[in-house]
Amino acid sequence: MIILMTGFAFYVGVLLFCLYFCTIADPAESPIAEYLTETLPQEAWSACTRILGKKNAKVLEWISDRSLTLVYIVVVGGSWSVIFNYVYPWITSQGYVSQHHKTVGYFVFVACALSWRHASTANPGIITKKTLSLYDHFPYDDLMFVAGKKCPTRHIPRLARSKYDRYKYKQHVPRFDHFCGWVFNTIGEENYRWFLLFLTIHVGMCIYGTFVLCGLFHGHIVQKDLYSVTFFNRATGEEIAPGNLWFLAQYLFHKFFVESAVLVLMAVMSVALGGFLLYHIWITSVGLTTNETFKWDEIKKWHNAETKKYKQAVKDGLVVEGKAQAPAVSDGDVTCTPGQSQSTKESARTNSEEIQDPGPKPVNIYDRGFYENW
């Protein structure tokens, strides 16, 4: 039993490790995140191409592009199969948790499936010569987005807040947010609301499932009066005093292994998805997209660095008259992980040797206030 618990704890630890370094940590600041999200995939792909050949590697690429979608189907589908085959009979036989939860569960399952399907098929909006005027409603800020540029691939003007999607549509997407591997779809102006609905429903599903399963475990403890039961350590023969929560947890984990696994999974994902949903609520409230948060971070770093240089140059008498040009910002791919390709970074537009006044702190012109942003 101890080995089983240790193995499960190791599994949870690996899950949290991957969750942090693959989805939260910034590859530009974390060597581990950079290796896991950029270096390792590139090395693995190069090795597969050498071993399998280009044709077979293309098939593998197609599968790997949809790997997160496959993981989603396996994990969510597997969890619901456990709920229908193990948890529902437990609700029926125990009687401690209301039978209405079984009916509610079916509605949650349908909402979960439909929200995923809609988020994976909804069009993000496509910018073409015909639809150019339809999506040309954001001004250029001359920081993240500069007027007068054309897409070298589609040969159309690059609208403010748009970005070329190389993953699925091979077109420019208005108000580009990111590419989501879980639904295998690009998230943009037209389908962002469906993506938020998808997140909201899944956060609700995880919280609700955690609540019901906790109720079932608590009901089992109460019915069997486990708080007053004396346990024995099989390895040592030691008698464990009643109320020892650690041994009680081991007993429940052993007796209800698959139910416990789903409970831990839902509890962890409630926190992870809840944090991701709050992140999207926050960036929308301040008038940003996922794509723009990375650009904005670079702009703030540039301004802080230039301001520091300027103040030092004033003391040294090395200031050049004029205002510093806006920084070059990355235009790499933004996916479910925060890694961006630095190979697509735009060339600098100013001589880095000249020290000029960077001016006041840049302001996000797309932040029109909480209500207007939504």
Side-chain angles (χ1 to χ4, degrees):
M1 184 61 190
I2 295 178
I3 296 176
L4 187 63
M5 291 290 290
T6 303
F8 189 74
F10 176 77
Y11 162 76
V12 173
V14 172
L15 181 66
L16 293 175
F17 175 86
C18 294
L19 183 67
Y20 175 77
F21 285 107
C22 293
T23 63
I24 299 175
D26 185 358
E29 300 179 357
S30 170
I32 297 177
E34 181 183 14
Y35 180 77
L36 290 177
T37 61
E38 297 177 6
T39 306
L40 181 61
Q42 292 173 4
E43 292 178 349
W45 176 248
S46 298
C48 288
T49 303
R50 290 194 303 269
I51 297 172
L52 301 176
K54 291 184 178 180
K55 185 176 180 180
N56 292 328
K58 284 291 183 182
V59 177
L60 182 62
E61 182 182 18
W62 187 92
I63 296 174
S64 64
D65 286 343
R66 293 159 177 79
S67 59
L68 287 180
T69 303
L70 296 175
V71 169
Y72 169 86
I73 293 172
V74 170
V75 172
V76 176
S79 297
W80 275 107
S81 67
V82 169
I83 291 172
F84 291 141
N85 290 288
Y86 292 89
V87 177
Y88 272 34
W90 193 10
I91 293 176
T92 302
S93 61
Q94 188 189 87
Y96 190 83
V97 172
S98 172
Q99 301 294 313
H100 295 302
H101 288 299
K102 294 166 65 176
T103 304
V104 175
Y106 286 119
F107 283 103
V108 173
F109 171 74
V110 172
C112 170
L114 290 179
S115 68
W116 176 82
R117 183 183 180 279
H118 207 73
S120 63
T121 58
N123 193 293
I126 302 298
I127 300 175
T128 63
K129 291 181 179 179
K130 292 183 178 179
T131 63
L132 199 62
S133 60
L134 178 64
Y135 297 113
D136 189 10
H137 44 242
F138 291 111
Y140 293 93
D141 63 353
D142 291 326
L143 289 170
M144 295 182 289
F145 307 101
V146 181
K149 288 192 174 184
K150 280 195 173 184
C151 173
T153 305
R154 308 306 302 179
H155 306 292
I156 59 174
R158 295 179 61 178
L159 298 181
R161 311 194 82 180
S162 71
K163 188 181 183 304
Y164 182 77
D165 166 41
R166 73 176 183 89
Y167 283 97
K168 186 172 182 178
Y169 297 97
K170 313 298 182 184
Q171 299 275 4
H172 268 271
V173 173
R175 200 181 177 278
F176 179 93
D177 192 86
H178 73 289
F179 178 82
C180 180
W182 300 105
V183 298
F184 194 71
N185 202 5
T186 304
I187 309 302
E189 183 172 319
E190 298 287 354
N191 64 355
Y192 186 64
R193 61 186 181 277
W194 299 117
F195 174 73
L196 288 181
L197 179 64
F198 163 77
L199 276 181
T200 302
I201 288 176
H202 280 68
V203 170
M205 173 190 72
C206 291
I207 294 175
Y208 179 68
T210 302
F211 168 78
V212 173
L213 281 168
C214 285
L216 286 169
F217 278 107
H218 179 67
H220 182 78
I221 292 172
V222 172
Q223 286 183 340
K224 301 296 183 180
D225 195 22
L226 296 180
Y227 285 123
S228 60
V229 170
T230 300
F231 291 92
F232 291 89
N233 190 324
R234 291 184 179 181
T236 63
E238 178 187 2
E239 182 177 306
I240 308 301
N244 189 303
L245 297 181
W246 171 244
F247 279 89
L248 180 57
Q250 290 187 61
Y251 165 77
L252 293 174
F253 186 85
H254 179 75
K255 184 175 180 61
F256 303 100
F257 176 74
V258 292
E259 295 92 333
S260 299
V262 171
L263 172 60
V264 173
L265 177 64
M266 284 191 168
V268 171
M269 293 311 297
S270 294
V271 177
L273 288 178
F276 193 50
L277 176 61
L278 290 175
Y279 167 76
H280 274 277
I281 291 174
W282 173 73
I283 63 174
T284 302
S285 300
V286 297
L288 290 172
T289 64
T290 303
N291 178 46
E292 292 164 2
T293 55
F294 294 109
K295 295 178 182 290
W296 200 248
D297 284 342
E298 291 182 21
I299 291 171
K300 288 191 290 186
K301 289 177 182 178
W302 166 84
H303 187 267
N304 291 336
E306 290 298 312
T307 300
K308 186 176 181 180
K309 288 180 182 179
Y310 177 74
K311 289 180 178 179
Q312 184 61 45
V314 170
K315 294 180 180 178
D316 299 338
L318 301 176
V319 177
V320 177
E321 292 296 328
K323 184 178 179 181
Q325 296 294 316
V329 294
S330 297
D331 195 30
D333 299 304
V334 183
T335 63
C336 290
T337 61
Q340 291 199 64
S341 171
Q342 298 302 314
S343 61
T344 56
K345 198 167 186 177
E346 300 176 1
S347 59
R349 297 188 294 272
T350 182
N351 183 354
S352 60
E353 297 300 321
E354 295 182 354
I355 302 177
Q356 299 175 323
D357 183 6
K361 186 177 181 180
V363 177
N364 176 23
I365 66 171
Y366 305 118
D367 185 2
R368 300 171 295 179
F370 180 83
Y371 181 79
E372 290 294 327
N373 290 338
W374 284 93

